[in-house]
PDB file of all heavy atoms in Angstrom:
ATOM      1  N   SER A 168      34.599   0.063 -28.224  1.00  0.00           N
ATOM      2  CA  SER A 168      33.205   0.022 -28.517  1.00  0.00           C
ATOM      3  C   SER A 168      32.565   1.382 -28.374  1.00  0.00           C
ATOM      4  O   SER A 168      31.772   1.833 -29.115  1.00  0.00           O
ATOM      5  CB  SER A 168      32.492  -0.982 -27.652  1.00  0.00           C
ATOM      6  OG  SER A 168      32.901  -2.243 -27.958  1.00  0.00           O
ATOM      7  N   GLY A 172      30.687   3.514 -31.207  1.00  0.00           N
ATOM      8  CA  GLY A 172      29.292   3.959 -31.059  1.00  0.00           C
ATOM      9  C   GLY A 172      29.184   5.407 -31.248  1.00  0.00           C
ATOM     10  O   GLY A 172      28.282   5.891 -31.922  1.00  0.00           O
ATOM     11  N   LEU A 177      25.579   6.786 -32.413  1.00  0.00           N
ATOM     12  CA  LEU A 177      24.640   6.094 -31.530  1.00  0.00           C
ATOM     13  C   LEU A 177      24.404   6.945 -30.320  1.00  0.00           C
ATOM     14  O   LEU A 177      23.406   6.761 -29.573  1.00  0.00           O
ATOM     15  CB  LEU A 177      25.156   4.722 -31.070  1.00  0.00           C
ATOM     16  CG  LEU A 177      25.363   3.760 -32.212  1.00  0.00           C
ATOM     17  CD1 LEU A 177      25.701   2.364 -31.634  1.00  0.00           C
ATOM     18  CD2 LEU A 177      24.109   3.629 -33.141  1.00  0.00           C
ATOM     19  N   ASP A 178      25.293   7.857 -30.041  1.00  0.00           N
ATOM     20  CA  ASP A 178      25.162   8.740 -28.904  1.00  0.00           C
ATOM     21  C   ASP A 178      26.170   9.888 -29.165  1.00  0.00           C
ATOM     22  O   ASP A 178      26.903   9.857 -30.157  1.00  0.00           O
ATOM     23  CB  ASP A 178      25.508   8.094 -27.566  1.00  0.00           C
ATOM     24  CG  ASP A 178      24.740   8.624 -26.389  1.00  0.00           C
ATOM     25  OD1 ASP A 178      24.283   9.759 -26.512  1.00  0.00           O
ATOM     26  OD2 ASP A 178      24.607   7.896 -25.357  1.00  0.00           O
ATOM     27  N   GLU A 197      18.401  13.442 -31.100  1.00  0.00           N
ATOM     28  CA  GLU A 197      18.287  12.015 -31.357  1.00  0.00           C
ATOM     29  C   GLU A 197      17.410  11.650 -32.552  1.00  0.00           C
ATOM     30  O   GLU A 197      17.707  10.692 -33.328  1.00  0.00           O
ATOM     31  CB  GLU A 197      17.783  11.243 -30.066  1.00  0.00           C
ATOM     32  CG  GLU A 197      17.330   9.835 -30.227  1.00  0.00           C
ATOM     33  CD  GLU A 197      18.409   8.814 -30.674  1.00  0.00           C
ATOM     34  OE1 GLU A 197      19.657   9.218 -30.632  1.00  0.00           O
ATOM     35  OE2 GLU A 197      18.099   7.715 -31.168  1.00  0.00           O
ATOM     36  N   GLU A 198      16.390  12.406 -32.759  1.00  0.00           N
ATOM     37  CA  GLU A 198      15.539  12.161 -33.911  1.00  0.00           C
ATOM     38  C   GLU A 198      16.268  12.305 -35.223  1.00  0.00           C
ATOM     39  O   GLU A 198      16.212  11.424 -36.065  1.00  0.00           O
ATOM     40  CB  GLU A 198      14.386  13.205 -33.816  1.00  0.00           C
ATOM     41  CG  GLU A 198      13.209  13.005 -34.795  1.00  0.00           C
ATOM     42  CD  GLU A 198      12.223  11.995 -34.277  1.00  0.00           C
ATOM     43  OE1 GLU A 198      12.276  11.717 -33.084  1.00  0.00           O
ATOM     44  OE2 GLU A 198      11.413  11.519 -35.048  1.00  0.00           O
ATOM     45  N   ALA A 201      19.026   9.552 -35.577  1.00  0.00           N
ATOM     46  CA  ALA A 201      18.394   8.281 -35.947  1.00  0.00           C
ATOM     47  C   ALA A 201      18.126   8.279 -37.497  1.00  0.00           C
ATOM     48  O   ALA A 201      18.463   7.305 -38.170  1.00  0.00           O
ATOM     49  CB  ALA A 201      17.055   8.042 -35.201  1.00  0.00           C
ATOM     50  N   ARG A 204      21.403   7.799 -39.153  1.00  0.00           N
ATOM     51  CA  ARG A 204      21.825   6.448 -39.123  1.00  0.00           C
ATOM     52  C   ARG A 204      21.153   5.643 -40.089  1.00  0.00           C
ATOM     53  O   ARG A 204      21.769   4.788 -40.767  1.00  0.00           O
ATOM     54  CB  ARG A 204      21.524   5.927 -37.656  1.00  0.00           C
ATOM     55  CG  ARG A 204      22.426   6.447 -36.609  1.00  0.00           C
ATOM     56  CD  ARG A 204      22.357   5.568 -35.339  1.00  0.00           C
ATOM     57  NE  ARG A 204      21.020   5.515 -34.711  1.00  0.00           N
ATOM     58  CZ  ARG A 204      20.597   6.332 -33.720  1.00  0.00           C
ATOM     59  NH1 ARG A 204      21.437   7.253 -33.261  1.00  0.00           N
ATOM     60  NH2 ARG A 204      19.381   6.226 -33.224  1.00  0.00           N
ATOM     61  N   PHE A 212      27.095  -6.540 -34.868  1.00  0.00           N
ATOM     62  CA  PHE A 212      27.447  -6.630 -33.493  1.00  0.00           C
ATOM     63  C   PHE A 212      28.108  -7.976 -33.192  1.00  0.00           C
ATOM     64  O   PHE A 212      27.817  -9.015 -33.832  1.00  0.00           O
ATOM     65  CB  PHE A 212      26.262  -6.470 -32.552  1.00  0.00           C
ATOM     66  CG  PHE A 212      25.392  -5.228 -32.876  1.00  0.00           C
ATOM     67  CD1 PHE A 212      24.320  -5.337 -33.710  1.00  0.00           C
ATOM     68  CD2 PHE A 212      25.834  -4.011 -32.386  1.00  0.00           C
ATOM     69  CE1 PHE A 212      23.572  -4.145 -33.981  1.00  0.00           C
ATOM     70  CE2 PHE A 212      25.107  -2.898 -32.659  1.00  0.00           C
ATOM     71  CZ  PHE A 212      23.958  -2.992 -33.518  1.00  0.00           C
ATOM     72  N   HIS A 216      22.435  -9.525 -32.119  1.00  0.00           N
ATOM     73  CA  HIS A 216      21.379  -8.615 -31.868  1.00  0.00           C
ATOM     74  C   HIS A 216      20.302  -8.628 -32.965  1.00  0.00           C
ATOM     75  O   HIS A 216      19.852  -7.637 -33.450  1.00  0.00           O
ATOM     76  CB  HIS A 216      21.875  -7.187 -31.745  1.00  0.00           C
ATOM     77  CG  HIS A 216      22.483  -6.925 -30.386  1.00  0.00           C
ATOM     78  ND1 HIS A 216      22.005  -7.426 -29.226  1.00  0.00           N
ATOM     79  CD2 HIS A 216      23.494  -6.063 -30.034  1.00  0.00           C
ATOM     80  CE1 HIS A 216      22.759  -7.027 -28.195  1.00  0.00           C
ATOM     81  NE2 HIS A 216      23.605  -6.166 -28.631  1.00  0.00           N
ATOM     82  N   PRO A 219      14.490 -11.164 -31.563  1.00  0.00           N
ATOM     83  CA  PRO A 219      14.181 -12.638 -31.417  1.00  0.00           C
ATOM     84  C   PRO A 219      12.745 -12.891 -31.894  1.00  0.00           C
ATOM     85  O   PRO A 219      12.396 -14.054 -32.231  1.00  0.00           O
ATOM     86  CB  PRO A 219      14.248 -12.850 -29.914  1.00  0.00           C
ATOM     87  CG  PRO A 219      14.197 -11.486 -29.238  1.00  0.00           C
ATOM     88  CD  PRO A 219      14.749 -10.562 -30.318  1.00  0.00           C
ATOM     89  N   SER A 220      11.837 -11.895 -31.940  1.00  0.00           N
ATOM     90  CA  SER A 220      10.492 -12.178 -32.253  1.00  0.00           C
ATOM     91  C   SER A 220      10.315 -12.160 -33.792  1.00  0.00           C
ATOM     92  O   SER A 220       9.152 -12.344 -34.306  1.00  0.00           O
ATOM     93  CB  SER A 220       9.581 -11.192 -31.611  1.00  0.00           C
ATOM     94  OG  SER A 220       9.964  -9.875 -31.814  1.00  0.00           O
ATOM     95  N   LEU A 221      11.340 -11.814 -34.563  1.00  0.00           N
ATOM     96  CA  LEU A 221      11.188 -11.735 -35.955  1.00  0.00           C
ATOM     97  C   LEU A 221      11.950 -12.822 -36.656  1.00  0.00           C
ATOM     98  O   LEU A 221      12.923 -13.242 -36.207  1.00  0.00           O
ATOM     99  CB  LEU A 221      11.705 -10.347 -36.559  1.00  0.00           C
ATOM    100  CG  LEU A 221      11.125  -9.095 -35.862  1.00  0.00           C
ATOM    101  CD1 LEU A 221      11.605  -7.841 -36.593  1.00  0.00           C
ATOM    102  CD2 LEU A 221       9.618  -9.140 -35.800  1.00  0.00           C
ATOM    103  N   GLU A 225      12.258 -11.163 -41.798  1.00  0.00           N
ATOM    104  CA  GLU A 225      11.706  -9.886 -41.193  1.00  0.00           C
ATOM    105  C   GLU A 225      12.796  -9.059 -40.625  1.00  0.00           C
ATOM    106  O   GLU A 225      12.791  -7.803 -40.665  1.00  0.00           O
ATOM    107  CB  GLU A 225      10.648 -10.270 -40.147  1.00  0.00           C
ATOM    108  CG  GLU A 225       9.377 -10.783 -40.750  1.00  0.00           C
ATOM    109  CD  GLU A 225       8.520 -11.519 -39.715  1.00  0.00           C
ATOM    110  OE1 GLU A 225       8.960 -11.873 -38.614  1.00  0.00           O
ATOM    111  OE2 GLU A 225       7.359 -11.772 -40.079  1.00  0.00           O
ATOM    112  N   LEU A 229      13.747  -5.122 -41.800  1.00  0.00           N
ATOM    113  CA  LEU A 229      13.470  -4.088 -40.803  1.00  0.00           C
ATOM    114  C   LEU A 229      14.024  -2.685 -41.215  1.00  0.00           C
ATOM    115  O   LEU A 229      13.255  -1.742 -41.195  1.00  0.00           O
ATOM    116  CB  LEU A 229      13.913  -4.562 -39.459  1.00  0.00           C
ATOM    117  CG  LEU A 229      13.273  -3.858 -38.247  1.00  0.00           C
ATOM    118  CD1 LEU A 229      11.737  -3.993 -38.375  1.00  0.00           C
ATOM    119  CD2 LEU A 229      13.756  -4.542 -36.990  1.00  0.00           C
ATOM    120  N   GLU A 232      12.044  -1.166 -43.999  1.00  0.00           N
ATOM    121  CA  GLU A 232      10.746  -0.823 -43.522  1.00  0.00           C
ATOM    122  C   GLU A 232      10.749   0.424 -42.742  1.00  0.00           C
ATOM    123  O   GLU A 232       9.828   1.232 -42.812  1.00  0.00           O
ATOM    124  CB  GLU A 232      10.135  -2.001 -42.730  1.00  0.00           C
ATOM    125  CG  GLU A 232       9.668  -3.121 -43.525  1.00  0.00           C
ATOM    126  CD  GLU A 232       9.019  -4.248 -42.677  1.00  0.00           C
ATOM    127  OE1 GLU A 232       9.587  -4.435 -41.528  1.00  0.00           O
ATOM    128  OE2 GLU A 232       8.099  -4.850 -43.064  1.00  0.00           O
ATOM    129  N   LEU A 233      11.736   0.567 -41.909  1.00  0.00           N
ATOM    130  CA  LEU A 233      11.708   1.788 -41.038  1.00  0.00           C
ATOM    131  C   LEU A 233      11.898   3.042 -41.918  1.00  0.00           C
ATOM    132  O   LEU A 233      11.391   4.082 -41.476  1.00  0.00           O
ATOM    133  CB  LEU A 233      12.967   1.640 -40.064  1.00  0.00           C
ATOM    134  CG  LEU A 233      12.694   0.761 -38.842  1.00  0.00           C
ATOM    135  CD1 LEU A 233      14.015   0.524 -38.140  1.00  0.00           C
ATOM    136  CD2 LEU A 233      11.653   1.428 -37.934  1.00  0.00           C
ATOM    137  N   LEU A 263      18.680 -20.635 -35.452  1.00  0.00           N
ATOM    138  CA  LEU A 263      19.810 -20.495 -36.313  1.00  0.00           C
ATOM    139  C   LEU A 263      21.080 -20.577 -35.473  1.00  0.00           C
ATOM    140  O   LEU A 263      21.079 -20.137 -34.270  1.00  0.00           O
ATOM    141  CB  LEU A 263      19.866 -19.113 -37.008  1.00  0.00           C
ATOM    142  CG  LEU A 263      18.651 -18.872 -37.977  1.00  0.00           C
ATOM    143  CD1 LEU A 263      18.690 -17.427 -38.429  1.00  0.00           C
ATOM    144  CD2 LEU A 263      18.620 -19.802 -39.148  1.00  0.00           C
ATOM    145  N   ASP A 287      31.408  -4.364 -34.536  1.00  0.00           N
ATOM    146  CA  ASP A 287      31.965  -4.429 -33.238  1.00  0.00           C
ATOM    147  C   ASP A 287      32.285  -5.937 -32.990  1.00  0.00           C
ATOM    148  O   ASP A 287      31.392  -6.708 -32.705  1.00  0.00           O
ATOM    149  CB  ASP A 287      31.063  -3.836 -32.193  1.00  0.00           C
ATOM    150  CG  ASP A 287      31.789  -3.775 -30.826  1.00  0.00           C
ATOM    151  OD1 ASP A 287      32.958  -3.760 -30.850  1.00  0.00           O
ATOM    152  OD2 ASP A 287      31.025  -3.623 -29.876  1.00  0.00           O
TER     153      ASP A 287
ATOM    154  N   ARG B 127       2.558  -4.176 -38.074  1.00  0.00           N
ATOM    155  CA  ARG B 127       3.258  -5.339 -38.625  1.00  0.00           C
ATOM    156  C   ARG B 127       4.151  -5.900 -37.414  1.00  0.00           C
ATOM    157  O   ARG B 127       4.195  -7.078 -37.189  1.00  0.00           O
ATOM    158  CB  ARG B 127       4.057  -5.019 -39.910  1.00  0.00           C
ATOM    159  CG  ARG B 127       3.414  -5.786 -41.075  1.00  0.00           C
ATOM    160  CD  ARG B 127       4.139  -5.430 -42.353  1.00  0.00           C
ATOM    161  NE  ARG B 127       4.048  -4.002 -42.609  1.00  0.00           N
ATOM    162  CZ  ARG B 127       4.880  -3.264 -43.328  1.00  0.00           C
ATOM    163  NH1 ARG B 127       5.966  -3.852 -43.794  1.00  0.00           N
ATOM    164  NH2 ARG B 127       4.651  -2.031 -43.537  1.00  0.00           N
ATOM    165  N   ARG B 131       3.923  -9.454 -35.420  1.00  0.00           N
ATOM    166  CA  ARG B 131       5.017 -10.405 -35.296  1.00  0.00           C
ATOM    167  C   ARG B 131       5.302 -10.650 -33.854  1.00  0.00           C
ATOM    168  O   ARG B 131       5.577 -11.755 -33.391  1.00  0.00           O
ATOM    169  CB  ARG B 131       6.247  -9.788 -35.907  1.00  0.00           C
ATOM    170  CG  ARG B 131       6.185  -9.641 -37.422  1.00  0.00           C
ATOM    171  CD  ARG B 131       7.259  -8.840 -37.977  1.00  0.00           C
ATOM    172  NE  ARG B 131       7.022  -8.514 -39.430  1.00  0.00           N
ATOM    173  CZ  ARG B 131       7.720  -7.546 -40.066  1.00  0.00           C
ATOM    174  NH1 ARG B 131       8.645  -6.870 -39.401  1.00  0.00           N
ATOM    175  NH2 ARG B 131       7.457  -7.303 -41.333  1.00  0.00           N
ATOM    176  N   GLU B 132       5.184  -9.587 -33.010  1.00  0.00           N
ATOM    177  CA  GLU B 132       5.504  -9.728 -31.603  1.00  0.00           C
ATOM    178  C   GLU B 132       4.445 -10.634 -30.875  1.00  0.00           C
ATOM    179  O   GLU B 132       4.721 -11.350 -29.967  1.00  0.00           O
ATOM    180  CB  GLU B 132       5.545  -8.365 -30.864  1.00  0.00           C
ATOM    181  CG  GLU B 132       6.737  -7.554 -31.320  1.00  0.00           C
ATOM    182  CD  GLU B 132       7.662  -7.308 -30.148  1.00  0.00           C
ATOM    183  OE1 GLU B 132       7.149  -7.165 -28.986  1.00  0.00           O
ATOM    184  OE2 GLU B 132       8.851  -7.178 -30.348  1.00  0.00           O
ATOM    185  N   SER B 135       5.226 -14.012 -30.775  1.00  0.00           N
ATOM    186  CA  SER B 135       6.381 -14.387 -29.936  1.00  0.00           C
ATOM    187  C   SER B 135       6.002 -14.502 -28.442  1.00  0.00           C
ATOM    188  O   SER B 135       6.803 -15.085 -27.697  1.00  0.00           O
ATOM    189  CB  SER B 135       7.469 -13.339 -30.114  1.00  0.00           C
ATOM    190  OG  SER B 135       7.218 -12.295 -29.309  1.00  0.00           O
ATOM    191  N   THR B 403      17.314  -3.879 -25.115  1.00  0.00           N
ATOM    192  CA  THR B 403      18.326  -4.059 -26.132  1.00  0.00           C
ATOM    193  C   THR B 403      17.673  -4.004 -27.539  1.00  0.00           C
ATOM    194  O   THR B 403      18.175  -3.481 -28.428  1.00  0.00           O
ATOM    195  CB  THR B 403      19.027  -5.404 -25.897  1.00  0.00           C
ATOM    196  OG1 THR B 403      19.302  -5.473 -24.572  1.00  0.00           O
ATOM    197  CG2 THR B 403      20.326  -5.440 -26.721  1.00  0.00           C
ATOM    198  N   GLN B 404      16.472  -4.635 -27.668  1.00  0.00           N
ATOM    199  CA  GLN B 404      15.872  -4.714 -28.978  1.00  0.00           C
ATOM    200  C   GLN B 404      15.591  -3.262 -29.454  1.00  0.00           C
ATOM    201  O   GLN B 404      15.700  -3.035 -30.609  1.00  0.00           O
ATOM    202  CB  GLN B 404      14.550  -5.478 -28.842  1.00  0.00           C
ATOM    203  CG  GLN B 404      14.733  -6.931 -28.567  1.00  0.00           C
ATOM    204  CD  GLN B 404      13.421  -7.698 -28.741  1.00  0.00           C
ATOM    205  OE1 GLN B 404      12.525  -7.342 -29.502  1.00  0.00           O
ATOM    206  NE2 GLN B 404      13.270  -8.703 -27.892  1.00  0.00           N
ATOM    207  N   LEU B 408      16.885  -1.368 -32.703  1.00  0.00           N
ATOM    208  CA  LEU B 408      15.995  -0.764 -33.718  1.00  0.00           C
ATOM    209  C   LEU B 408      16.495   0.746 -33.939  1.00  0.00           C
ATOM    210  O   LEU B 408      16.554   1.264 -35.125  1.00  0.00           O
ATOM    211  CB  LEU B 408      14.576  -0.588 -33.181  1.00  0.00           C
ATOM    212  CG  LEU B 408      13.594  -1.782 -33.448  1.00  0.00           C
ATOM    213  CD1 LEU B 408      12.232  -1.421 -32.919  1.00  0.00           C
ATOM    214  CD2 LEU B 408      13.489  -1.893 -35.012  1.00  0.00           C
ATOM    215  N   LYS B 409      17.044   1.340 -32.909  1.00  0.00           N
ATOM    216  CA  LYS B 409      17.461   2.752 -33.045  1.00  0.00           C
ATOM    217  C   LYS B 409      18.754   2.768 -33.883  1.00  0.00           C
ATOM    218  O   LYS B 409      18.928   3.685 -34.599  1.00  0.00           O
ATOM    219  CB  LYS B 409      17.729   3.306 -31.624  1.00  0.00           C
ATOM    220  CG  LYS B 409      16.504   3.657 -30.926  1.00  0.00           C
ATOM    221  CD  LYS B 409      16.725   4.282 -29.560  1.00  0.00           C
ATOM    222  CE  LYS B 409      15.404   4.858 -28.944  1.00  0.00           C
ATOM    223  NZ  LYS B 409      15.658   5.497 -27.667  1.00  0.00           N
ATOM    224  N   GLY B 412      18.085   2.993 -37.429  1.00  0.00           N
ATOM    225  CA  GLY B 412      17.557   4.202 -37.930  1.00  0.00           C
ATOM    226  C   GLY B 412      16.144   4.549 -37.492  1.00  0.00           C
ATOM    227  O   GLY B 412      15.525   5.434 -38.033  1.00  0.00           O
ATOM    228  N   THR B 414      13.639   6.387 -35.422  1.00  0.00           N
ATOM    229  CA  THR B 414      13.755   7.673 -34.610  1.00  0.00           C
ATOM    230  C   THR B 414      12.844   7.422 -33.393  1.00  0.00           C
ATOM    231  O   THR B 414      11.978   6.537 -33.362  1.00  0.00           O
ATOM    232  CB  THR B 414      13.135   8.723 -35.468  1.00  0.00           C
ATOM    233  OG1 THR B 414      11.757   8.515 -35.724  1.00  0.00           O
ATOM    234  CG2 THR B 414      13.829   8.922 -36.766  1.00  0.00           C
ATOM    235  N   PRO B 415      13.054   8.239 -32.366  1.00  0.00           N
ATOM    236  CA  PRO B 415      12.222   8.135 -31.135  1.00  0.00           C
ATOM    237  C   PRO B 415      10.761   8.254 -31.491  1.00  0.00           C
ATOM    238  O   PRO B 415       9.934   7.606 -30.858  1.00  0.00           O
ATOM    239  CB  PRO B 415      12.698   9.379 -30.274  1.00  0.00           C
ATOM    240  CG  PRO B 415      14.149   9.533 -30.734  1.00  0.00           C
ATOM    241  CD  PRO B 415      14.200   9.167 -32.172  1.00  0.00           C
ATOM    242  N   ASN B 416      10.401   9.149 -32.475  1.00  0.00           N
ATOM    243  CA  ASN B 416       9.093   9.261 -32.870  1.00  0.00           C
ATOM    244  C   ASN B 416       8.499   8.011 -33.421  1.00  0.00           C
ATOM    245  O   ASN B 416       7.364   7.593 -32.954  1.00  0.00           O
ATOM    246  CB  ASN B 416       9.067  10.204 -34.100  1.00  0.00           C
ATOM    247  CG  ASN B 416       8.357  11.506 -33.706  1.00  0.00           C
ATOM    248  OD1 ASN B 416       7.497  11.473 -32.848  1.00  0.00           O
ATOM    249  ND2 ASN B 416       8.770  12.583 -34.352  1.00  0.00           N
ATOM    250  N   LYS B 417       9.233   7.251 -34.249  1.00  0.00           N
ATOM    251  CA  LYS B 417       8.835   6.010 -34.762  1.00  0.00           C
ATOM    252  C   LYS B 417       8.638   4.991 -33.606  1.00  0.00           C
ATOM    253  O   LYS B 417       7.644   4.237 -33.562  1.00  0.00           O
ATOM    254  CB  LYS B 417       9.831   5.529 -35.741  1.00  0.00           C
ATOM    255  CG  LYS B 417       9.338   4.360 -36.585  1.00  0.00           C
ATOM    256  CD  LYS B 417       9.632   4.603 -38.043  1.00  0.00           C
ATOM    257  CE  LYS B 417       8.378   4.729 -38.938  1.00  0.00           C
ATOM    258  NZ  LYS B 417       8.723   5.316 -40.213  1.00  0.00           N
ATOM    259  N   SER B 494      19.675   4.958 -24.738  1.00  0.00           N
ATOM    260  CA  SER B 494      20.669   5.284 -25.744  1.00  0.00           C
ATOM    261  C   SER B 494      20.981   4.079 -26.570  1.00  0.00           C
ATOM    262  O   SER B 494      21.255   3.021 -26.039  1.00  0.00           O
ATOM    263  CB  SER B 494      21.946   5.813 -25.078  1.00  0.00           C
ATOM    264  OG  SER B 494      23.018   5.802 -25.992  1.00  0.00           O
ATOM    265  N   PRO B 495      21.060   4.303 -27.939  1.00  0.00           N
ATOM    266  CA  PRO B 495      21.371   3.111 -28.746  1.00  0.00           C
ATOM    267  C   PRO B 495      22.872   2.657 -28.521  1.00  0.00           C
ATOM    268  O   PRO B 495      23.185   1.576 -28.816  1.00  0.00           O
ATOM    269  CB  PRO B 495      21.293   3.695 -30.187  1.00  0.00           C
ATOM    270  CG  PRO B 495      21.208   5.185 -30.019  1.00  0.00           C
ATOM    271  CD  PRO B 495      20.699   5.447 -28.645  1.00  0.00           C
ATOM    272  N   VAL B 498      23.738  -0.933 -27.040  1.00  0.00           N
ATOM    273  CA  VAL B 498      23.846  -2.224 -27.692  1.00  0.00           C
ATOM    274  C   VAL B 498      25.261  -2.616 -27.680  1.00  0.00           C
ATOM    275  O   VAL B 498      25.604  -3.827 -27.892  1.00  0.00           O
ATOM    276  CB  VAL B 498      23.365  -2.182 -29.223  1.00  0.00           C
ATOM    277  CG1 VAL B 498      21.832  -2.099 -29.221  1.00  0.00           C
ATOM    278  CG2 VAL B 498      24.047  -1.062 -29.925  1.00  0.00           C
ATOM    279  N   LEU B 499      26.262  -1.744 -27.451  1.00  0.00           N
ATOM    280  CA  LEU B 499      27.617  -2.091 -27.501  1.00  0.00           C
ATOM    281  C   LEU B 499      28.164  -2.343 -26.102  1.00  0.00           C
ATOM    282  O   LEU B 499      29.268  -2.758 -25.971  1.00  0.00           O
ATOM    283  CB  LEU B 499      28.441  -0.938 -28.212  1.00  0.00           C
ATOM    284  CG  LEU B 499      28.077  -0.666 -29.589  1.00  0.00           C
ATOM    285  CD1 LEU B 499      28.836   0.577 -30.129  1.00  0.00           C
ATOM    286  CD2 LEU B 499      28.400  -1.886 -30.515  1.00  0.00           C
ATOM    287  N   ARG B 940      21.598 -21.191 -27.256  1.00  0.00           N
ATOM    288  CA  ARG B 940      21.421 -20.491 -28.589  1.00  0.00           C
ATOM    289  C   ARG B 940      20.242 -19.511 -28.448  1.00  0.00           C
ATOM    290  O   ARG B 940      20.284 -18.467 -29.072  1.00  0.00           O
ATOM    291  CB  ARG B 940      21.038 -21.461 -29.618  1.00  0.00           C
ATOM    292  CG  ARG B 940      21.063 -21.027 -30.971  1.00  0.00           C
ATOM    293  CD  ARG B 940      20.885 -22.132 -31.987  1.00  0.00           C
ATOM    294  NE  ARG B 940      22.024 -23.113 -31.908  1.00  0.00           N
ATOM    295  CZ  ARG B 940      21.960 -24.310 -32.452  1.00  0.00           C
ATOM    296  NH1 ARG B 940      20.924 -24.624 -33.060  1.00  0.00           N
ATOM    297  NH2 ARG B 940      22.990 -25.093 -32.383  1.00  0.00           N
TER     298      ARG B 940
END
Side-chain angles (χ1 to χ4, degrees):
Chain A
S168 296
L177 298 188
D178 211 338
E197 167 60 16
E198 191 82 14
R204 289 196 296 267
F212 308 98
H216 283 326
S220 52
L221 306 188
E225 287 164 349
L229 203 53
E232 281 182 324
L233 281 168
L263 300 171
D287 188 18
Chain B
R127 249 176 296 155
R131 292 168 191 167
E132 291 243 329
S135 81
T403 315
Q404 291 188 33
L408 272 181
K409 287 181 170 184
T414 65
N416 249 331
K417 193 133 241 163
S494 161
V498 287
L499 297 175
R940 196 169 296 167

